[in-house]
Every structure is written in structure tokens, then in C-alpha cells.
């Protein structure tokens, strides 16, 4: 049943719901990485049969999310391919064709039971000892003539699968869940085509996976119960059954199901929080898969070379945000200045610190900000707060606690220190560079007989506004002399009243 010898073709088949869910993104990554690892093809198919939710915008949300994560698809919307179209709403003729095929084989029958009738039967069955076990197959025994006559008379009807009698158990070798066996005689004569002619999920998905020559279906285990049903449809159509791999649930760090109320659930949210696409892909790849059971930093290329289905676990995956923060920090540390500037740009612009144009024209200068924060950042969204002082004007807002502790503390002589520092920094004969400035200022410690900390902390507060900041003179070097001197003057005048 497995199609191991054929070139791998996998698909990610999201329904546009208004977000690319983090669980969906994990499914997409597994499919993408599997295609890349096997030299196969990764197809993106949009399951847009729900007219309410399937708006153009919701479709774009998916495409943006995929692109945001750097998951490129070989076939699909906006890319095309030989097996298109890639939107289910554009594939209705293929479902019609498949239905005709099933009719010709006698594998389906029309059902005229109304919703009211079905509801009533269900209610009765639910009260009975055995409970409800699916449609009672009333219309299955209608003669072909009667069925045709009712269709010709315009009576509304659905098309149901005629589950074969005496079918042995349905055997499934899931790549993750291993062997499963489901008795076929408990299977419902499920609806394949609704009264309005639209296909049900199970029918459309089987038609599409077959017509798109999908070899492996890798998807969330919320679809596990659909799989035996889909196998029956494959069999009815006479199609080869693909290999299935069902992925475990992703739970929050509290062990509960992810929920919009308690967790960030969409890719867009994570990107907005300042997680890097590379870090997210790495992190999500490890939710249910591992390279060797211990390696945590797995760059894309390593993932794409090594991904395999046999290292997927069926244990529930835990989304540990602390680990994600750590991992993102590692990626930030290692990404290099140029890439960091491009990644952090939207955050700096959004905070009003700069403009896209300024970043383009002064890219080299922005790259110098990177070493100031690279070691200390978990999320890109932290950058504006850490760096705002560099962009601020002459009078910077001072943190009260920092002022009390470092400028006004009894005996700290900060007024004296800053008066000296002001003169050093205003001295044009000293190059405006980190080392000469820092060295000259450091000499003050001896001259004034003060600990170095009592020299540097007041400067830090006066220039950055706070007693905690990125490396001081490395930051000062990136600002201009007039601004820094003005900040010192401001403090001298306003804090000390000199
Ligand atoms: N469209 C389905 C969903 O979003 C996925 C179908 C499948 O992978 O078979 O859950």
C-alpha cells in the first residue's frame, strides 16, 4: 500500500480560517522538510469549500504565514503546477467526475432522507441500548428505478458511500501510529456529496490527493478518525492508498490544549512578537520530531537534509515558550548584523525610532547596533526599548530610581563627575570613538579617587536615562557628540541645578 518507490509528493492542505495556526505551521514544516529531504515535491492546496471563511483575505493570511516562515511550495496558489488548480473551489468538476465514476460502479446511492427524518432517527437511536451508530441505510435498499424517478422529480438528495458488506477490517500502517485495524462493518454510509452538489471534506480530500498524485499524507491526528473513511473512498474509487503519517497534538506548557485565550496560536502573532522565522521553523520542527534525540539547534539546511518520518513521535508535543525564547536568542546571536538589521527594521519603524528609508541609506550604521544587543535579546520586539536612547534627542527622560541611586545618592559626587565628563566629551581633540573616550574618562577614577563604577554609572544614567543599558561607550560612539554633551548639560542643569 505504501508508495515508497514513487517520487515523494506531499501536501499541506489548510482551510483558510483567518490565521495560520501554529499547529498547521508544524504540519506544513513536516511536509516541506520531508519533500526537501527526499527530493520530492511540496504542494500547497487551499481547502476553501466553506464559503463563510474562505475569503481572499483569509487565503492571503495562509500564504503570508507560509512565506513569513520561509516555507516555499513547489506547486500551489500563485506558483501553479501540473496538478492544479490548487483551490478546492476550482476543482468541483473533478469531484463530479469522481461521483459519476462511483455511480457507474454502484459504489454510491442517493439518499432522500430529510434532515428532520435523520434527526428524529438519531434521537431514537441515541436512547436505545446500542446508541447511534450512523445512518440506518434506509435509502440503500431503494431500487435503481425508484431512486432515478425521485431524482428526476427533483427531490433533494445527497450521495452516500455504499460501504461494502463483508469487508474485512480496514488495515492501516500509519508511519507514526504504526498498525491500526478498524472493523469496516461499523463504518457509516457517509455522505460524499451534499444536496447542493458540494463534496464533503472526506470525499474532496481523497479526490484531490489522488488527482495530485500525493504519496504521503502528513497531517494532524485530529484527522485520524477520518482516515479509515478515506481508505474506504480510495477503495471505492479504485485508487492507491497513500502512506499516512498523523502528527500528535501540540499542548501548551500547562499541558492543556492550545487556546486563543491562553496562548499565541498563529504564526503571525509569533512573528509580531519578534520570533525569527528560522528559529520558529527549528522550534516547530522539534514538536514531535527529533534529529537524534538531543540536538536542539537545527538550521533549515540540516532539517531539510535529515528530516525523516521514522523519527516522528506520537507523544503529545509541548509548546515550551521558554525554550522558544532561548532558541530565538541563539538565532539572534548567530544571525549576523546585516540580517539582524533587516529583521529588526519593522520593529524599529513601528516604534517610530526610524524610517525604512533611513535604514536603507544608513544600513552600515544600523549594523553597529547589533553587537550592543545581540547577546541580550530574546525577541526582536525588545529592540526598540533597548535602543530608544540612541535615537532620542538632547533631553532624555530619566528613570527616577536610577537617578536616586546613581546621581543623588549621598556622597556619590555625581555632579562633580559629570562636570568633568562633560568637558572630556566636549573636547574635540579626543576622537569620537569608544576606546579613547572610555580610556580618558576612566582616568578620572584615579584623579577624583573614586571607584570606576561611580564614574561610569552616572554617565550611563545621564546619557541613556537608565542604570541598565547596552555597553556604554560602544553606544556613545554611535551617537553624535553634540547630543551626548547636551544630555550631560541637561542633567547638570536639571538634576543638580548647576
Ligand atoms: N483542510 C484540513 C484542515 O485544515 C486538512 C485536511 C487534510 O490534511 O487532510 O484541517
Amino acid at each position: 500500500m505504501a508508495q515508497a518507490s514513487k517520487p515523494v509528493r506531499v501536501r499541506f492542505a489548510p482551510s483558510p480560517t483567518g490565521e495560520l495556526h501554529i499547529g498547521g505551521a508544524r504540519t506544513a514544516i513536516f511536509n516541506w522538510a520531508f519533500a526537501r529531504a527526499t527530493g520530492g515535491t511540496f504542494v500547497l492546496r487551499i481547502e476553501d469549500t466553506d464559503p463563510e471563511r474562505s475569503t481572499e483575505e483569509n487565503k492571503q493570511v495562509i500564504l503570508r504565514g507560509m512565506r513569513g516562515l520561509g516555507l516555499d511550495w513547489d506547486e500551489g496558489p500563485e506558483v501553479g503546477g501540473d496538478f492544479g488548480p490548487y483551490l478546492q473551489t476550482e476543482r468541483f468538476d473533478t469531484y463530479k467526475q469522481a461521483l459519476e465514476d462511483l455511480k457507474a460502479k454502484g459504489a454510491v446511492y442517493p439518499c432522500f432522507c430529510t434532515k428532520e427524518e435523520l434527526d428524529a432517527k438519531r434521537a431514537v437511536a441515541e436512547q436505545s441500548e446500542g446508541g447511534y451508530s450512523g445512518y440506518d441505510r434506509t435509502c440503500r435498499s431503494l431500487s435503481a428505478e425508484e431512486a432515478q424517478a425521485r431524482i428526476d422529480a427533483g427531490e433533494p438528495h445527497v450521495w452516500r458511500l455504499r460501504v461494502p458488506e463483508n469487508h474485512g477490517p480496514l488495515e492501516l500502517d500509519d508511519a507514526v501510529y504504526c498498525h491500526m485495524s478498524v472493523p469496516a462493518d461499523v463504518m457509516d454510509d457517509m455522505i460524499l456529496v451534499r444536496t447542493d452538489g458540494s463534496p464533503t471534506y472526506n470525499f474532496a480530500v481523497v479526490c484531490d490527493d489522488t488527482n495530485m498524485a500525493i504519496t504521503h499524507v502528513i497531517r494532524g491526528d485530529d484527522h485520524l478518525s477520518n482516515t479509515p473513511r478515506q481508505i474506504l473512498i480510495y477503495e471505492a474509487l479504485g485508487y492507491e492508498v497513500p502512506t499516512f503519517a498523523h502528527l500528535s497534538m501540540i499542548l501548551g506548557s500547562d499541558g492543556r490544549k492550545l487556546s486563543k485565550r491562553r496562548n499565541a496560536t498563529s504564526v503571525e502573532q509569533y512573528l509580531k512578537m519578534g520570533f525569527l522565522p528560522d528559529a520558529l521553523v527549528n522550534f516547530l520542527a522539534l514538536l514531535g520530531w527529533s534529529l537524534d534525540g538531543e540536538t536542539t539547534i537545527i538550521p533549515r539546511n540540516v532539517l531539510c537534509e535529515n528530516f525523516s518520518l521514522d523519527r516522528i513521535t506520537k507523544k503529545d508535543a509541548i509548546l515550551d515558550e521558554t525554550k522558544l525564547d532561548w532558541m530565538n536568542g541563539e538565532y539572534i546571536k548567530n544571525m549576523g548584523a546585516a540580517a539582524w538589521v533587516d529583521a529588526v527594521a519593522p520593529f524599529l519603524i513601528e516604534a517610530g525610532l526610524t524610517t525604512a528609508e533611513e535604514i536603507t541609506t544608513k544600513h552600515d550604521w544600523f549594523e553597529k547596533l547589533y553587537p550592543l544587543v545581540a547577546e541580550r535579546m530574546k525577541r526582536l520586539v525588545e529592540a526598540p526599548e533597548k535602543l530608544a536612547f540612541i535615537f532620542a534627542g538632547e533631553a532624555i527622560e530619566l528613570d527616577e530610581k536610577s537617578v536616586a541611586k546613581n546621581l543623588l545618592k549621598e556622597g556619590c559626587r555625581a555632579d562633580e563627575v559629570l562636570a568633568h565628563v562633560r568637558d572630556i566629551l566636549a573636547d574635540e581633540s579626543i576622537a569620537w570613538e569608544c576606546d579613547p573616550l572610555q580610556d580618558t574618562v576612566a582616568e578620572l577614577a584615579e584623579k577624583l579617587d573614586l571607584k570606576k563604577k561611580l564614574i561610569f554609572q552616572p554617565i550611563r544614567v545621564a546619557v541613556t536615562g537608565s542604570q541598565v543599558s547596552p555597553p556604554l561607550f560602544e553606544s556613545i560612539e554611535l551617537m553624535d557628540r553634540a547630543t551626548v554633551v547636551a544630555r550631560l548639560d541637561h542633567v547638570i542643569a536639571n538634576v543638580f541645578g548647576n
Side-chain angles (χ1 to χ4, degrees):
M1 63 183 273
Q3 306 188 359
S5 52
K6 291 189 186 167
V8 164
R9 288 180 58 83
V10 285
R11 77 335 186 249
F12 174 49
S15 311
T17 58
E19 65 168 18
L20 176 53
H21 192 273
I22 207 76
R26 192 265 309 254
T27 301
I29 290 166
F30 280 31
N31 278 285
W32 170 81
F34 185 58
R36 297 295 169 259
T38 53
T41 302
F42 176 49
V43 177
L44 176 60
R45 178 174 78 224
I46 304 290
E47 307 215 318
D48 59 344
T49 51
D50 175 351
E52 301 253 305
R53 305 178 105 184
S54 300
T55 58
E56 176 60 22
E57 172 52 19
N58 285 354
K59 184 185 99 189
Q60 287 302 333
V61 167
I62 306 262
L63 303 191
R64 272 204 304 274
M66 293 288 286
R67 290 203 176 100
L69 289 176
L71 302 176
D72 53 322
W73 54 99
D74 306 309
E75 294 175 22
E78 297 180 5
V79 170
D82 293 341
F83 296 79
Y86 294 92
L87 303 185
Q88 282 191 326
T89 46
E90 293 174 8
R91 300 182 63 83
F92 272 52
D93 52 339
T94 65
Y95 312 136
K96 277 209 184 87
Q97 180 62 49
L99 177 65
E100 291 312 315
D101 191 15
L102 291 176
K103 284 187 204 169
K105 289 177 173 158
V108 286
Y109 61 90
C111 168
F112 304 91
C113 296
T114 63
K115 184 173 178 311
E116 292 70 29
E117 283 164 349
L118 294 173
D119 288 347
K121 285 182 196 175
R122 186 182 186 122
V124 171
E126 275 167 0
Q127 297 307 316
S128 74
E129 207 175 301
Y132 179 70
S133 60
Y135 176 57
D136 71 354
R137 299 184 169 174
T138 306
C139 292
R140 185 168 163 138
S141 49
L142 294 178
S143 70
E145 294 71 30
E146 187 187 343
Q148 195 54 49
R150 290 172 73 171
I151 292 171
D152 292 344
E155 196 173 331
H157 58 281
V158 300
W159 287 92
R160 290 184 182 272
L161 183 72
R162 188 187 296 276
V163 174
E165 289 183 53
N166 308 320
H167 189 300
L170 286 158
E171 310 288 346
L172 164 64
D173 282 306
D174 189 272
V176 180
Y177 279 76
C178 303
H179 187 77
M180 281 183 286
S181 177
V182 183
D185 52 11
V186 301
M187 303 287 288
D188 195 12
D189 277 1
M190 74 197 100
I191 297 174
L192 302 187
V193 175
R194 301 186 190 92
T195 321
D196 64 1
S198 65
T200 55
Y201 156 71
N202 281 313
F203 186 46
V205 119
V206 169
C207 294
D208 291 346
D209 285 341
T210 302
N211 292 331
M212 294 182 174
I214 298 302
T215 56
H216 296 72
V217 171
I218 306 170
R219 63 183 172 198
D221 69 2
D222 48 330
H223 287 292
L224 201 51
S225 61
N226 284 320
T227 304
R229 297 186 189 128
Q230 290 177 13
I231 292 176
L232 281 176
I233 303 174
Y234 279 106
E235 289 180 356
L237 285 162
Y239 294 158
E240 202 171 344
V241 180
T243 299
F244 289 96
H246 286 94
L247 310 178
S248 65
M249 288 270 275
I250 301 178
L251 305 176
S253 39
D254 54 2
R256 293 159 76 187
K257 227 181 129 182
L258 294 183
S259 93
K260 278 192 191 170
R261 256 187 317 113
R262 293 190 305 271
N263 312 87
T265 55
S266 78
V267 166
E268 208 163 12
Q269 279 173 301
Y270 279 93
L271 293 173
K272 275 201 180 132
M273 284 153 77
F275 290 106
L276 294 167
D278 285 348
L280 274 174
V281 168
N282 185 159
F283 178 77
L284 292 173
L286 289 175
L287 292 184
W289 175 83
S290 78
L291 180 62
D292 51 17
E294 53 188 30
T295 309
T296 41
I297 298 293
I298 304 170
R300 261 172 219 271
N301 60 328
V302 178
L303 175 64
C304 287
E305 276 158 30
N306 293 284
F307 188 87
S308 67
L309 299 183
D310 58 4
R311 294 208 55 90
I312 300 178
T313 165
K314 63 180 173 199
K315 267 209 325 245
D316 284 341
I318 304 288
L319 194 154
D320 176 354
E321 286 205 10
T322 313
K323 180 172 169 188
L324 175 56
D325 271 331
W326 168 81
M327 194 175 274
N328 206 51
E330 291 299 299
Y331 272 87
I332 290 176
K333 256 184 242 172
N334 293 309
M335 72 193 298
W340 176 82
V341 171
D342 297 334
V344 86
F347 296 90
L348 300 180
I349 295 167
E350 163 116 24
L353 297 181
T354 182
T355 61
E357 201 194 339
E358 195 177 26
I359 291 177
T360 311
T361 52
K362 286 173 59 185
H363 211 272
D364 288 350
W365 181 86
F366 278 90
E367 287 177 28
K368 292 184 185 152
L369 298 173
Y370 175 65
L372 301 182
V373 290
E375 297 284 331
R376 298 173 184 78
M377 256 172 78
K378 298 278 184 247
R379 305 178 183 189
L380 295 174
V381 75
E382 296 159 20
E385 200 199 322
K386 288 192 192 305
L387 294 169
F389 72 92
I390 294 193
F391 297 85
E394 299 190 345
I396 190 154
E397 201 182 313
L398 303 174
D399 167 58
E400 264 180 49
K401 259 201 204 146
S402 302
V403 169
K405 189 163 167 211
N406 300 281
L407 300 183
L408 298 175
K409 199 166 172 189
E410 186 83 39
C412 76
R413 294 161 63 196
D415 53 344
E416 202 183 325
V417 169
L418 291 186
H420 283 284
V421 171
R422 189 237 177 255
D423 290 342
I424 293 170
L425 296 186
D427 181 352
E428 304 241 345
S429 71
I430 305 172
W432 192 254
E433 283 163 20
C434 173
D435 290 346
L437 293 172
Q438 183 165 326
D439 293 348
T440 316
V441 168
E443 287 166 12
L444 278 178
E446 212 170 309
K447 200 161 138 193
L448 301 178
D449 193 22
L450 280 171
K451 282 199 193 119
K452 281 211 172 121
K453 194 174 168 206
L454 291 178
I455 306 288
F456 288 111
Q457 280 305 82
I459 309 174
R460 191 184 302 279
V461 176
V463 174
T464 73
S466 162
Q467 60 193 359
V468 187
S469 80
L472 183 57
F473 280 89
E474 284 82 348
S475 304
I476 287 180
E477 182 189 273
L478 298 183
M479 302 166 61
D480 60 75
R481 196 188 290 272
T483 306
V484 175
V485 171
R487 286 193 197 167
L488 292 168
D489 283 340
H490 180 80
V491 169
I492 291 167
N494 292 285
V495 178
F496 303 121
N498 294 335

